[in-house]
Amino acid sequence: MSATQEPPKLYAAQEPVFPKRVKGKFRNLKWVIMIVTLGIYYLTPWIRWDRGPSLPDQAVLIDMANRRFFFFWIEIWPHEFYFVAGLLIMAGLGLFLFTSALGRVWCGYTCPQTVWTDLFFTVERWIEGDRNARLRLFRAKWDAKKVRLRVTKYIAWLLIAIATGGAWVFYFTDAPTLLVDLFTLNAHPIAYTTIAILTATTFVFGGFMREQVCIYMCPWPRIQAAMMDEDTITVAYREWRGEPRGKHRKGADTENLGDCIDCMACVNVCPTGIDIRDGQQMECITCALCIDACDDIMDKIGKPRGLIDYMALTDEANERAGNPKKPIWQHIFRVRTMIYTGLWASIGIGLVVLLFIRAPIDMTISPIRNPQFVTLSDGSIRNTYDLRIRNMQHEVADFHISLTSDEILRVELEGTSTLSVTVPADTTQLQRVYVTSRADDPAALGDTTDFRFWIEDPASNERSYGDTVFNGRGN
Amino acid sequence: MTDKKHPEEQILQEGDPNTTGHVWDGIKEFDNPMPRWWLWTFYACIAWGVLYVILYPAWPLVNGATAGLLGYSTRAEVAEDIATFDAMNDPLRARMEAVELAEISEDAELANFAVQGGGAIFRTWCAQCHGSGAAGARGYPNLLDDDWLWGGTLDDIYLTIRHGIRNEEDLDARYSEMTAFDEILSDDEIAQVVAYVRNISGQEADAAMSTAGETVFLDNCASCHMDDGTGDRFLGAPNLTDAIWLYGGDEAALEETVRNARFGVMPSWQNRLTESEVRSVSVYVHSLGGGE
């Protein structure tokens, strides 16, 4: 190894980014989205929803202990988990749709990493000042002022982080009770651990890792690259209008210069610290703040807005050739986005239909196959089934159990001489059921006989069935 | 950020970076440093390993292993877990022993504990003969059906489990002994009584043989199996008229039974299981569909 040549470093250190404050329509849109999304996140657990005395009155509650998910008037039991799977598929398709139409609009506006980082930037700006002040502070020696500002900032961030981690646990248990328990140190250790972990991740991701999360940790930008095409609307720089860039000094030859005055406004506001004029790049989350910054400058120097603008790749060729820009709706309504919309909507409609046709009573049938059948003293053949009867109605009910079959089968319940089971409200009850065929009936002599169990609640007239099979001697 | 160069580009652009000096088939090997995160993870693993060896059982010795400073052992942990659950269940067990047998099923909590716990005990101690599903096997009674040798009430089942059948270790064990008729009856008489038993249990049999067998039956078998062949639970004498056969109802099996008799043995459980365990497994067996 030669001493003169240093081996190349394989570690790229984070370069500090000091985004400047910006005003404009996209910044305003981002403020609105930030307030709405943060509001939903922090306040949802506190919405109350009366479900009667036996059920929690929290509108949105993931009740792990009792295995229920409550969402306003909707109640999901574990066997209905396909609803959650359906929602996740819809979320995935929704992201595909928005990415193919509008690029990384999720990253730029609504991703929690973006929203919280934006919140952390705002707090940072309040305490330490705007870009220049922060830069000065960054380069300054550690003195009393720097320590005071940094400590204030970290405390503010930490409070936000604790509130973020704290809000999360309220989704999993009754929020007012838990809040009191948290402060009186009576809450479950899992609650404290969860808050601690989420506080740490919020603090570190929002305060320090920021764009590093998007660039190195998040898989979604890589997937999004496959979702975008030349018609996707994204943030771009009108290079043909801006170049050659240069300062428009008095008396200088400005004839040959483009509209870009190289003021670095777009670079200074960028939360990921890139230069949009280099073209589309991996680090760009399309937050559109550079559009706001550049429009502001263009207004000041009396040039038309839109040097940096939302546009598609196809627009570039059009504009270079001097043709008018394609209207935005033509970029958005394409076969590809139509297909995504269609898929997304059909799953959504399917879920809504399922939600309305699902029965409030239900059962799972587990045939006991050890042994397959029992011969009784009179030669008749008996099968045993474990029925798990779910009463999803909010009051206790007596369920009548019966069966329908082409053959003659008799049904009996373990532990009772009636055919009726009492199931408390919102619970699942296990009931062992015996089905018997007389010795010389076809079901006893045959191999298997299909039949259908019915459960019926005479009070509410709800009924539900399940198909299963009877094992005969099979000769 | 703008003039940031990707590390891989640097390597490619600098042409001939440092190599290890080894060449195989013209392929050189880079001597690049390990990634920093990798190195730190590696060092952390070493530190973890050293600490683990000090704190936990690690080096194998002739008898066991080094104990480690924390004195941890998986066996002790299991024992602790068992003790914890025992402590949780002890009040239930005490109640189980205190109440009347018949009252267990009326108390939902006790009934659940008895059926679940009894099921576990059954699969541990009883399944070897009676099968994990309690369906029995040839010579080992099926506990799911409605036919019982010694009775199928909760009290009968409890007594059977507590003392067993025909064992010598428990003086209270249920006891009876069938006579081996090999040298008492002639071959013809044995064939006749087999035909008779098949007849009264609804199976095919030669009518003349069966008629002749009835006399043999009444003279030799009815004292235990009753005149009508329905058996006597007090003596553990099986009902011969139903469809259930412990050793088989075909001619060969019946002939073997008549000639050599049967002597099924079940151990006594009162000294191996606790009172609450015997009660639990009794309730469990009673709940399987045959309980009377």
Side-chain angles (χ1 to χ4, degrees), chain A residues 1-2 5 7-11 15 216 273 275 370-371 374-377 379 382 414 432 434, chain B residues 1 4 7 10-11 14 16 18 31 33 36 132-133 135 144-146 242-244 287-289:
Chain A
M1 190 187 279
S2 69
Q5 202 178 15
K9 292 257 189 318
L10 288 169
Y11 178 77
E15 304 194 13
Y216 296 111
D275 188 343
N370 175 20
V374 177
T375 308
L376 297 183
S377 53
R382 188 177 71 194
E414 165 64 28
R432 182 160 281 212
Y434 304 113
Chain B
M1 199 86 180
K4 189 178 75 178
Q10 291 175 10
I11 295 168
E14 279 164 26
D16 188 23
N18 299 303
D31 189 21
R36 197 154 64 171
S132 59
L144 306 170
D145 61 31
D146 58 346
D242 64 19
I244 295 170
S287 77
L288 292 176

mmCIF file of all heavy atoms in Angstrom, chain A residues 1-2 5 7-11 15 216 273 275 370-371 374-377 379 382 414 432 434, chain B residues 1 4 7 10-11 14 16 18 31 33 36 132-133 135 144-146 242-244 287-289:
data_model
loop_
_atom_site.group_PDB
_atom_site.id
_atom_site.type_symbol
_atom_site.label_atom_id
_atom_site.label_comp_id
_atom_site.label_asym_id
_atom_site.label_seq_id
_atom_site.Cartn_x
_atom_site.Cartn_y
_atom_site.Cartn_z
ATOM 1 N N MET A 1 0.838 -1.183 0.000
ATOM 2 C CA MET A 1 0.000 0.000 0.000
ATOM 3 C C MET A 1 0.884 1.247 0.000
ATOM 4 O O MET A 1 1.733 1.404 0.862
ATOM 5 C CB MET A 1 -0.901 -0.021 1.236
ATOM 6 C CG MET A 1 -1.964 1.030 1.204
ATOM 7 S SD MET A 1 -2.875 1.085 2.770
ATOM 8 C CE MET A 1 -4.027 -0.263 2.547
ATOM 9 N N SER A 2 0.671 2.100 -0.940
ATOM 10 C CA SER A 2 1.498 3.303 -0.977
ATOM 11 C C SER A 2 1.017 4.301 0.061
ATOM 12 O O SER A 2 -0.168 4.412 0.333
ATOM 13 C CB SER A 2 1.435 3.950 -2.360
ATOM 14 O OG SER A 2 0.152 4.486 -2.565
ATOM 15 N N GLN A 5 -1.276 7.517 -1.261
ATOM 16 C CA GLN A 5 -2.681 7.430 -1.675
ATOM 17 C C GLN A 5 -3.576 6.967 -0.528
ATOM 18 O O GLN A 5 -3.502 5.819 -0.101
ATOM 19 C CB GLN A 5 -2.796 6.466 -2.863
ATOM 20 C CG GLN A 5 -4.040 6.728 -3.657
ATOM 21 C CD GLN A 5 -4.122 5.805 -4.851
ATOM 22 O OE1 GLN A 5 -3.418 4.811 -4.959
ATOM 23 N NE2 GLN A 5 -5.015 6.117 -5.765
ATOM 24 N N PRO A 7 -6.825 5.565 1.174
ATOM 25 C CA PRO A 7 -7.952 4.774 0.657
ATOM 26 C C PRO A 7 -9.229 5.615 0.691
ATOM 27 O O PRO A 7 -9.415 6.420 1.600
ATOM 28 C CB PRO A 7 -8.045 3.605 1.640
ATOM 29 C CG PRO A 7 -7.310 4.058 2.853
ATOM 30 C CD PRO A 7 -6.289 5.038 2.409
ATOM 31 N N PRO A 8 -10.092 5.465 -0.314
ATOM 32 C CA PRO A 8 -11.302 6.294 -0.359
ATOM 33 C C PRO A 8 -12.216 5.969 0.816
ATOM 34 O O PRO A 8 -12.319 4.829 1.249
ATOM 35 C CB PRO A 8 -11.944 5.901 -1.680
ATOM 36 C CG PRO A 8 -11.405 4.549 -1.986
ATOM 37 C CD PRO A 8 -10.037 4.497 -1.404
ATOM 38 N N LYS A 9 -12.871 6.989 1.337
ATOM 39 C CA LYS A 9 -13.804 6.791 2.432
ATOM 40 C C LYS A 9 -15.098 6.204 1.889
ATOM 41 O O LYS A 9 -15.622 6.655 0.878
ATOM 42 C CB LYS A 9 -14.095 8.135 3.100
ATOM 43 C CG LYS A 9 -12.920 8.723 3.838
ATOM 44 C CD LYS A 9 -13.109 8.517 5.324
ATOM 45 C CE LYS A 9 -12.103 9.260 6.171
ATOM 46 N NZ LYS A 9 -10.737 9.243 5.723
ATOM 47 N N LEU A 10 -15.597 5.185 2.561
ATOM 48 C CA LEU A 10 -16.856 4.576 2.124
ATOM 49 C C LEU A 10 -18.034 5.126 2.904
ATOM 50 O O LEU A 10 -19.160 4.707 2.739
ATOM 51 C CB LEU A 10 -16.794 3.064 2.293
ATOM 52 C CG LEU A 10 -15.871 2.393 1.284
ATOM 53 C CD1 LEU A 10 -15.628 0.952 1.649
ATOM 54 C CD2 LEU A 10 -16.471 2.490 -0.113
ATOM 55 N N TYR A 11 -17.774 6.078 3.781
ATOM 56 C CA TYR A 11 -18.841 6.641 4.589
ATOM 57 C C TYR A 11 -19.079 8.085 4.176
ATOM 58 O O TYR A 11 -18.146 8.896 4.165
ATOM 59 C CB TYR A 11 -18.462 6.575 6.067
ATOM 60 C CG TYR A 11 -19.492 7.193 6.975
ATOM 61 C CD1 TYR A 11 -20.666 6.499 7.272
ATOM 62 C CD2 TYR A 11 -19.305 8.447 7.510
ATOM 63 C CE1 TYR A 11 -21.614 7.055 8.087
ATOM 64 C CE2 TYR A 11 -20.255 9.013 8.330
ATOM 65 C CZ TYR A 11 -21.414 8.313 8.618
ATOM 66 O OH TYR A 11 -22.353 8.867 9.426
ATOM 67 N N GLU A 15 -24.412 16.036 5.449
ATOM 68 C CA GLU A 15 -24.077 17.449 5.307
ATOM 69 C C GLU A 15 -25.203 18.262 5.900
ATOM 70 O O GLU A 15 -26.363 18.073 5.545
ATOM 71 C CB GLU A 15 -23.893 17.782 3.827
ATOM 72 C CG GLU A 15 -22.847 16.871 3.216
ATOM 73 C CD GLU A 15 -22.372 17.361 1.874
ATOM 74 O OE1 GLU A 15 -22.675 18.518 1.540
ATOM 75 O OE2 GLU A 15 -21.708 16.585 1.188
ATOM 76 N N TYR A 216 -31.696 7.132 2.741
ATOM 77 C CA TYR A 216 -31.040 5.847 3.002
ATOM 78 C C TYR A 216 -31.953 4.784 3.607
ATOM 79 O O TYR A 216 -31.726 3.602 3.423
ATOM 80 C CB TYR A 216 -29.848 6.055 3.950
ATOM 81 C CG TYR A 216 -28.777 6.904 3.347
ATOM 82 C CD1 TYR A 216 -28.510 8.168 3.822
ATOM 83 C CD2 TYR A 216 -28.042 6.422 2.263
ATOM 84 C CE1 TYR A 216 -27.531 8.960 3.248
ATOM 85 C CE2 TYR A 216 -27.055 7.203 1.678
ATOM 86 C CZ TYR A 216 -26.806 8.477 2.175
ATOM 87 O OH TYR A 216 -25.843 9.237 1.601
ATOM 88 N N GLY A 273 -31.540 19.686 0.952
ATOM 89 C CA GLY A 273 -30.253 20.283 0.622
ATOM 90 C C GLY A 273 -29.765 20.014 -0.792
ATOM 91 O O GLY A 273 -28.571 19.888 -1.020
ATOM 92 N N ASP A 275 -29.986 20.800 -5.219
ATOM 93 C CA ASP A 275 -30.200 21.857 -6.203
ATOM 94 C C ASP A 275 -31.103 21.290 -7.285
ATOM 95 O O ASP A 275 -30.693 20.418 -8.056
ATOM 96 C CB ASP A 275 -28.847 22.292 -6.783
ATOM 97 C CG ASP A 275 -28.994 23.521 -7.665
ATOM 98 O OD1 ASP A 275 -30.146 23.815 -8.083
ATOM 99 O OD2 ASP A 275 -27.966 24.168 -7.930
ATOM 100 N N ASN A 370 -60.676 -37.041 16.145
ATOM 101 C CA ASN A 370 -59.925 -38.029 16.924
ATOM 102 C C ASN A 370 -60.843 -38.541 17.999
ATOM 103 O O ASN A 370 -60.900 -37.965 19.068
ATOM 104 C CB ASN A 370 -58.673 -37.370 17.531
ATOM 105 C CG ASN A 370 -57.912 -38.312 18.446
ATOM 106 O OD1 ASN A 370 -58.071 -39.523 18.373
ATOM 107 N ND2 ASN A 370 -57.106 -37.750 19.328
ATOM 108 N N PRO A 371 -61.620 -39.552 17.778
ATOM 109 C CA PRO A 371 -61.731 -40.367 16.561
ATOM 110 C C PRO A 371 -62.703 -39.729 15.573
ATOM 111 O O PRO A 371 -63.390 -38.778 15.904
ATOM 112 C CB PRO A 371 -62.312 -41.673 17.107
ATOM 113 C CG PRO A 371 -63.198 -41.216 18.222
ATOM 114 C CD PRO A 371 -62.518 -40.029 18.830
ATOM 115 N N VAL A 374 -67.911 -42.199 16.683
ATOM 116 C CA VAL A 374 -68.060 -43.077 17.846
ATOM 117 C C VAL A 374 -69.274 -43.954 17.602
ATOM 118 O O VAL A 374 -70.332 -43.471 17.184
ATOM 119 C CB VAL A 374 -68.257 -42.258 19.129
ATOM 120 C CG1 VAL A 374 -68.486 -43.175 20.321
ATOM 121 C CG2 VAL A 374 -67.060 -41.361 19.372
ATOM 122 N N THR A 375 -69.097 -45.274 17.825
ATOM 123 C CA THR A 375 -70.234 -46.186 17.724
ATOM 124 C C THR A 375 -70.918 -46.255 19.082
ATOM 125 O O THR A 375 -70.266 -46.514 20.096
ATOM 126 C CB THR A 375 -69.765 -47.593 17.329
ATOM 127 O OG1 THR A 375 -68.949 -47.474 16.174
ATOM 128 C CG2 THR A 375 -70.940 -48.495 17.045
ATOM 129 N N LEU A 376 -72.211 -46.017 19.112
ATOM 130 C CA LEU A 376 -72.941 -46.075 20.376
ATOM 131 C C LEU A 376 -73.495 -47.481 20.583
ATOM 132 O O LEU A 376 -73.480 -48.324 19.687
ATOM 133 C CB LEU A 376 -74.060 -45.044 20.380
ATOM 134 C CG LEU A 376 -73.574 -43.599 20.274
ATOM 135 C CD1 LEU A 376 -74.743 -42.643 20.359
ATOM 136 C CD2 LEU A 376 -72.550 -43.293 21.358
ATOM 137 N N SER A 377 -74.007 -47.758 21.770
ATOM 138 C CA SER A 377 -74.385 -49.117 22.117
ATOM 139 C C SER A 377 -75.492 -49.654 21.218
ATOM 140 O O SER A 377 -75.558 -50.847 20.975
ATOM 141 C CB SER A 377 -74.812 -49.196 23.577
ATOM 142 O OG SER A 377 -75.805 -48.231 23.844
ATOM 143 N N GLY A 379 -75.606 -49.131 18.144
ATOM 144 C CA GLY A 379 -75.034 -49.238 16.814
ATOM 145 C C GLY A 379 -75.078 -47.937 16.035
ATOM 146 O O GLY A 379 -74.520 -47.844 14.938
ATOM 147 N N ARG A 382 -72.008 -41.594 15.915
ATOM 148 C CA ARG A 382 -72.045 -40.227 16.401
ATOM 149 C C ARG A 382 -70.755 -39.495 16.019
ATOM 150 O O ARG A 382 -69.665 -40.049 16.131
ATOM 151 C CB ARG A 382 -72.205 -40.220 17.920
ATOM 152 C CG ARG A 382 -72.451 -38.823 18.469
ATOM 153 C CD ARG A 382 -72.679 -38.850 19.958
ATOM 154 N NE ARG A 382 -71.437 -39.152 20.657
ATOM 155 C CZ ARG A 382 -71.367 -39.505 21.942
ATOM 156 N NH1 ARG A 382 -72.468 -39.631 22.645
ATOM 157 N NH2 ARG A 382 -70.211 -39.761 22.507
ATOM 158 N N GLU A 414 -73.714 -30.888 24.280
ATOM 159 C CA GLU A 414 -73.072 -31.343 25.503
ATOM 160 C C GLU A 414 -73.528 -30.487 26.688
ATOM 161 O O GLU A 414 -73.616 -29.259 26.579
ATOM 162 C CB GLU A 414 -71.538 -31.245 25.353
ATOM 163 C CG GLU A 414 -70.738 -31.350 26.636
ATOM 164 C CD GLU A 414 -70.864 -32.679 27.343
ATOM 165 O OE1 GLU A 414 -71.103 -33.700 26.658
ATOM 166 O OE2 GLU A 414 -70.739 -32.706 28.586
ATOM 167 N N ARG A 432 -69.829 -27.855 22.587
ATOM 168 C CA ARG A 432 -69.623 -29.158 21.946
ATOM 169 C C ARG A 432 -70.975 -29.704 21.492
ATOM 170 O O ARG A 432 -71.947 -29.667 22.249
ATOM 171 C CB ARG A 432 -68.964 -30.108 22.941
ATOM 172 C CG ARG A 432 -68.665 -31.459 22.366
ATOM 173 C CD ARG A 432 -67.625 -32.165 23.184
ATOM 174 N NE ARG A 432 -66.290 -31.665 22.849
ATOM 175 C CZ ARG A 432 -65.204 -32.443 22.894
ATOM 176 N NH1 ARG A 432 -65.287 -33.703 23.263
ATOM 177 N NH2 ARG A 432 -64.033 -31.951 22.579
ATOM 178 N N TYR A 434 -73.081 -32.867 19.401
ATOM 179 C CA TYR A 434 -73.050 -34.254 18.905
ATOM 180 C C TYR A 434 -74.077 -34.412 17.799
ATOM 181 O O TYR A 434 -75.218 -33.962 17.925
ATOM 182 C CB TYR A 434 -73.368 -35.234 20.031
ATOM 183 C CG TYR A 434 -72.457 -35.089 21.229
ATOM 184 C CD1 TYR A 434 -72.936 -34.636 22.447
ATOM 185 C CD2 TYR A 434 -71.105 -35.411 21.125
ATOM 186 C CE1 TYR A 434 -72.093 -34.491 23.540
ATOM 187 C CE2 TYR A 434 -70.263 -35.268 22.216
ATOM 188 C CZ TYR A 434 -70.769 -34.801 23.423
ATOM 189 O OH TYR A 434 -69.933 -34.660 24.493
ATOM 190 N N MET B 1 -23.210 19.590 -0.741
ATOM 191 C CA MET B 1 -24.012 18.463 -1.239
ATOM 192 C C MET B 1 -23.860 18.336 -2.743
ATOM 193 O O MET B 1 -23.902 17.268 -3.303
ATOM 194 C CB MET B 1 -25.484 18.718 -0.895
ATOM 195 C CG MET B 1 -26.331 17.473 -0.931
ATOM 196 S SD MET B 1 -26.302 16.574 0.617
ATOM 197 C CE MET B 1 -27.378 15.222 0.193
ATOM 198 N N LYS B 4 -20.876 16.349 -4.054
ATOM 199 C CA LYS B 4 -20.678 15.092 -3.333
ATOM 200 C C LYS B 4 -20.473 13.968 -4.353
ATOM 201 O O LYS B 4 -21.225 13.842 -5.303
ATOM 202 C CB LYS B 4 -21.910 14.793 -2.483
ATOM 203 C CG LYS B 4 -21.683 13.633 -1.550
ATOM 204 C CD LYS B 4 -22.908 13.413 -0.700
ATOM 205 C CE LYS B 4 -24.012 12.747 -1.509
ATOM 206 N NZ LYS B 4 -25.181 12.484 -0.681
ATOM 207 N N PRO B 7 -19.035 7.170 -3.173
ATOM 208 C CA PRO B 7 -17.774 6.452 -2.909
ATOM 209 C C PRO B 7 -17.375 5.511 -4.036
ATOM 210 O O PRO B 7 -16.205 5.443 -4.414
ATOM 211 C CB PRO B 7 -18.087 5.671 -1.637
ATOM 212 C CG PRO B 7 -19.186 6.406 -0.983
ATOM 213 C CD PRO B 7 -19.966 7.063 -2.070
ATOM 214 N N GLN B 10 -15.623 7.188 -6.816
ATOM 215 C CA GLN B 10 -14.246 7.537 -6.505
ATOM 216 C C GLN B 10 -13.318 6.376 -6.825
ATOM 217 O O GLN B 10 -12.296 6.533 -7.459
ATOM 218 C CB GLN B 10 -14.111 7.892 -5.024
ATOM 219 C CG GLN B 10 -14.809 9.187 -4.673
ATOM 220 C CD GLN B 10 -14.752 9.448 -3.180
ATOM 221 O OE1 GLN B 10 -14.052 8.757 -2.466
ATOM 222 N NE2 GLN B 10 -15.479 10.442 -2.754
ATOM 223 N N ILE B 11 -13.744 5.190 -6.421
ATOM 224 C CA ILE B 11 -12.909 4.021 -6.657
ATOM 225 C C ILE B 11 -12.693 3.834 -8.153
ATOM 226 O O ILE B 11 -11.578 3.653 -8.631
ATOM 227 C CB ILE B 11 -13.558 2.767 -6.067
ATOM 228 C CG1 ILE B 11 -13.633 2.902 -4.551
ATOM 229 C CG2 ILE B 11 -12.779 1.528 -6.445
ATOM 230 C CD1 ILE B 11 -14.512 1.863 -3.930
ATOM 231 N N GLU B 14 -10.434 6.691 -9.751
ATOM 232 C CA GLU B 14 -9.038 6.819 -9.399
ATOM 233 C C GLU B 14 -8.170 5.749 -10.039
ATOM 234 O O GLU B 14 -6.972 5.681 -9.808
ATOM 235 C CB GLU B 14 -8.885 6.819 -7.872
ATOM 236 C CG GLU B 14 -9.175 8.208 -7.304
ATOM 237 C CD GLU B 14 -9.413 8.166 -5.814
ATOM 238 O OE1 GLU B 14 -8.903 7.243 -5.162
ATOM 239 O OE2 GLU B 14 -10.136 9.045 -5.318
ATOM 240 N N ASP B 16 -6.375 2.999 -10.207
ATOM 241 C CA ASP B 16 -5.718 1.871 -9.578
ATOM 242 C C ASP B 16 -5.628 2.093 -8.067
ATOM 243 O O ASP B 16 -4.628 2.566 -7.564
ATOM 244 C CB ASP B 16 -4.315 1.702 -10.162
ATOM 245 C CG ASP B 16 -3.678 0.415 -9.676
ATOM 246 O OD1 ASP B 16 -4.433 -0.513 -9.288
ATOM 247 O OD2 ASP B 16 -2.449 0.351 -9.645
ATOM 248 N N ASN B 18 -5.751 1.089 -3.961
ATOM 249 C CA ASN B 18 -4.955 0.141 -3.192
ATOM 250 C C ASN B 18 -5.542 -1.258 -3.295
ATOM 251 O O ASN B 18 -6.735 -1.448 -3.166
ATOM 252 C CB ASN B 18 -4.942 0.572 -1.735
ATOM 253 C CG ASN B 18 -4.332 1.937 -1.600
ATOM 254 O OD1 ASN B 18 -3.203 2.148 -2.009
ATOM 255 N ND2 ASN B 18 -5.101 2.877 -1.073
ATOM 256 N N ASP B 31 -8.225 -3.471 -1.298
ATOM 257 C CA ASP B 31 -7.968 -3.466 0.137
ATOM 258 C C ASP B 31 -8.716 -2.294 0.777
ATOM 259 O O ASP B 31 -8.132 -1.452 1.442
ATOM 260 C CB ASP B 31 -6.464 -3.347 0.404
ATOM 261 C CG ASP B 31 -6.135 -3.546 1.872
ATOM 262 O OD1 ASP B 31 -6.968 -4.149 2.584
ATOM 263 O OD2 ASP B 31 -5.071 -3.094 2.307
ATOM 264 N N PRO B 33 -11.261 -0.285 3.274
ATOM 265 C CA PRO B 33 -11.596 -0.441 4.694
ATOM 266 C C PRO B 33 -12.998 -0.996 4.862
ATOM 267 O O PRO B 33 -13.846 -0.844 3.982
ATOM 268 C CB PRO B 33 -11.519 0.996 5.231
ATOM 269 C CG PRO B 33 -11.768 1.851 4.043
ATOM 270 C CD PRO B 33 -11.197 1.121 2.869
ATOM 271 N N ARG B 36 -17.852 1.551 8.260
ATOM 272 C CA ARG B 36 -17.760 1.886 9.671
ATOM 273 C C ARG B 36 -18.864 1.207 10.497
ATOM 274 O O ARG B 36 -18.630 0.677 11.556
ATOM 275 C CB ARG B 36 -17.869 3.413 9.833
ATOM 276 C CG ARG B 36 -17.386 3.875 11.173
ATOM 277 C CD ARG B 36 -16.912 5.291 11.122
ATOM 278 N NE ARG B 36 -17.998 6.207 10.791
ATOM 279 C CZ ARG B 36 -17.884 7.532 10.846
ATOM 280 N NH1 ARG B 36 -16.751 8.075 11.204
ATOM 281 N NH2 ARG B 36 -18.891 8.293 10.524
ATOM 282 N N SER B 132 -55.318 -40.407 22.674
ATOM 283 C CA SER B 132 -55.370 -38.984 22.993
ATOM 284 C C SER B 132 -56.779 -38.422 22.813
ATOM 285 O O SER B 132 -57.146 -37.434 23.423
ATOM 286 C CB SER B 132 -54.373 -38.204 22.138
ATOM 287 O OG SER B 132 -54.667 -38.402 20.778
ATOM 288 N N GLY B 133 -57.571 -39.062 21.949
ATOM 289 C CA GLY B 133 -58.943 -38.609 21.769
ATOM 290 C C GLY B 133 -59.924 -39.389 22.631
ATOM 291 O O GLY B 133 -61.127 -39.268 22.473
ATOM 292 N N ALA B 135 -60.692 -42.454 22.485
ATOM 293 C CA ALA B 135 -61.486 -43.422 21.731
ATOM 294 C C ALA B 135 -61.089 -44.859 22.047
ATOM 295 O O ALA B 135 -61.670 -45.803 21.517
ATOM 296 C CB ALA B 135 -61.339 -43.164 20.239
ATOM 297 N N LEU B 144 -65.805 -42.419 24.916
ATOM 298 C CA LEU B 144 -66.694 -41.444 24.286
ATOM 299 C C LEU B 144 -68.110 -41.974 24.115
ATOM 300 O O LEU B 144 -69.040 -41.208 23.901
ATOM 301 C CB LEU B 144 -66.147 -41.059 22.902
ATOM 302 C CG LEU B 144 -64.698 -40.570 22.863
ATOM 303 C CD1 LEU B 144 -64.207 -40.468 21.427
ATOM 304 C CD2 LEU B 144 -64.598 -39.218 23.542
ATOM 305 N N ASP B 145 -68.266 -43.315 24.156
ATOM 306 C CA ASP B 145 -69.579 -43.870 23.845
ATOM 307 C C ASP B 145 -70.433 -43.956 25.105
ATOM 308 O O ASP B 145 -70.036 -43.544 26.189
ATOM 309 C CB ASP B 145 -69.425 -45.223 23.152
ATOM 310 C CG ASP B 145 -68.697 -46.234 24.034
ATOM 311 O OD1 ASP B 145 -68.829 -46.152 25.263
ATOM 312 O OD2 ASP B 145 -67.983 -47.093 23.484
ATOM 313 N N ASP B 146 -71.624 -44.502 24.948
ATOM 314 C CA ASP B 146 -72.576 -44.528 26.065
ATOM 315 C C ASP B 146 -72.583 -45.873 26.775
ATOM 316 O O ASP B 146 -73.515 -46.207 27.481
ATOM 317 C CB ASP B 146 -73.973 -44.192 25.543
ATOM 318 C CG ASP B 146 -74.409 -45.158 24.449
ATOM 319 O OD1 ASP B 146 -73.528 -45.899 23.927
ATOM 320 O OD2 ASP B 146 -75.589 -45.186 24.109
ATOM 321 N N ASP B 242 -75.324 -55.229 23.156
ATOM 322 C CA ASP B 242 -75.196 -53.985 22.384
ATOM 323 C C ASP B 242 -74.146 -54.109 21.270
ATOM 324 O O ASP B 242 -73.600 -55.177 21.027
ATOM 325 C CB ASP B 242 -74.892 -52.800 23.316
ATOM 326 C CG ASP B 242 -73.553 -52.952 24.017
ATOM 327 O OD1 ASP B 242 -72.701 -53.739 23.543
ATOM 328 O OD2 ASP B 242 -73.352 -52.279 25.054
ATOM 329 N N ALA B 243 -73.883 -53.017 20.613
ATOM 330 C CA ALA B 243 -73.028 -53.027 19.422
ATOM 331 C C ALA B 243 -71.565 -52.773 19.758
ATOM 332 O O ALA B 243 -70.746 -52.642 18.864
ATOM 333 C CB ALA B 243 -73.520 -51.968 18.432
ATOM 334 N N ILE B 244 -71.251 -52.660 21.058
ATOM 335 C CA ILE B 244 -69.892 -52.280 21.440
ATOM 336 C C ILE B 244 -69.145 -53.469 22.017
ATOM 337 O O ILE B 244 -69.631 -54.128 22.946
ATOM 338 C CB ILE B 244 -69.946 -51.114 22.455
ATOM 339 C CG1 ILE B 244 -70.535 -49.886 21.751
ATOM 340 C CG2 ILE B 244 -68.575 -50.818 23.010
ATOM 341 C CD1 ILE B 244 -70.866 -48.765 22.681
ATOM 342 N N SER B 287 -67.234 -35.351 30.466
ATOM 343 C CA SER B 287 -67.732 -34.346 29.513
ATOM 344 C C SER B 287 -67.518 -34.736 28.064
ATOM 345 O O SER B 287 -67.794 -33.954 27.164
ATOM 346 C CB SER B 287 -67.022 -33.003 29.768
ATOM 347 O OG SER B 287 -65.712 -33.047 29.241
ATOM 348 N N LEU B 288 -67.005 -35.944 27.828
ATOM 349 C CA LEU B 288 -66.619 -36.288 26.452
ATOM 350 C C LEU B 288 -67.766 -36.825 25.612
ATOM 351 O O LEU B 288 -67.568 -37.172 24.461
ATOM 352 C CB LEU B 288 -65.475 -37.308 26.473
ATOM 353 C CG LEU B 288 -64.146 -36.759 26.993
ATOM 354 C CD1 LEU B 288 -63.115 -37.863 27.072
ATOM 355 C CD2 LEU B 288 -63.656 -35.638 26.110
ATOM 356 N N GLY B 289 -68.936 -36.928 26.179
ATOM 357 C CA GLY B 289 -70.066 -37.359 25.364
ATOM 358 C C GLY B 289 -70.741 -38.606 25.890
ATOM 359 O O GLY B 289 -71.888 -38.903 25.551
#
